[in-house]
Amino acid sequence: VQLQASGGRLVQPGGSLRLSCAASGGSLGDYSIGWFRQSPGKEREGVSCVRRIYEQKYYSKSAKGRFTISGDRAKNTVFLQMNNLKPEDTGIYYCAASRFGLIASSWPQTSQYHYWGQGTQVTVSS
């Protein structure tokens, strides 16, 4: 499966963005889809994950309450709605697909994912 992440841009603190992860060559409903963020000088960290589009959803501590992950099976796309954005949310956001049905302890681990998109830049700054 090939993944294409989009939707990143410059936004002011407190603003909102919706990122999209569109898939081709496979159905996202067959995978666990994760969103990861990589900030300068930091390791890639898990932000959110949804298992097989309509099953369990997971969020990092920093994302919980502000971000919502969702999927549209007909569009074969997973979205990450990000509200109340903060400067520390700045980074390149990647979506990734895992053939595993990921659980709470495994979804944040990059090694659990088999396919990666190219990333989209999110900058939160005034």
Side-chain angles (χ1 to χ4, degrees):
V1 64
Q2 292 80 47
L3 304 174
Q4 178 81 29
S6 63
R9 61 176 175 85
L10 172 66
V11 63
Q12 291 190 341
S16 297
L17 275 181
R18 189 175 80 157
L19 304 183
S20 299
C21 177
S24 58
S27 171
L28 288 185
D30 295 333
Y31 299 88
S32 295
I33 303 301
W35 282 100
F36 289 78
R37 174 175 63 228
Q38 187 152 26
S39 306
K42 294 186 178 180
E43 291 188 356
R44 198 169 293 190
E45 60 175 336
V47 175
S48 184
C49 174
V50 60
R51 193 171 67 202
R52 313 211 191 284
I53 291 194
Y54 298 131
E55 294 184 9
Q56 191 65 36
K57 299 177 181 180
Y58 305 101
Y59 298 94
S60 67
K61 266 188 190 176
S62 65
K64 203 164 188 177
R66 299 187 299 127
F67 295 2
T68 303
I69 193 169
S70 63
D72 186 324
R73 193 183 292 272
K75 293 182 179 178
N76 210 23
T77 301
V78 169
F79 303 100
L80 184 68
Q81 176 68 41
M82 305 189 294
N83 298 328
N84 190 22
L85 282 161
K86 304 175 181 180
E88 51 264 41
D89 296 318
T90 294
I92 301 175
Y93 282 70
Y94 298 89
C95 61
S98 172
R99 294 193 294 266
F100 305 139
L102 298 177
I103 59 176
S105 59
S106 60
W107 77 266
Q109 301 172 32
T110 57
S111 60
Q112 297 293 313
Y113 295 82
H114 302 91
Y115 310 97
W116 289 83
Q118 85 293 355
T120 185
Q121 176 71 47
V122 172
T123 303
V124 184
S125 175
S126 54

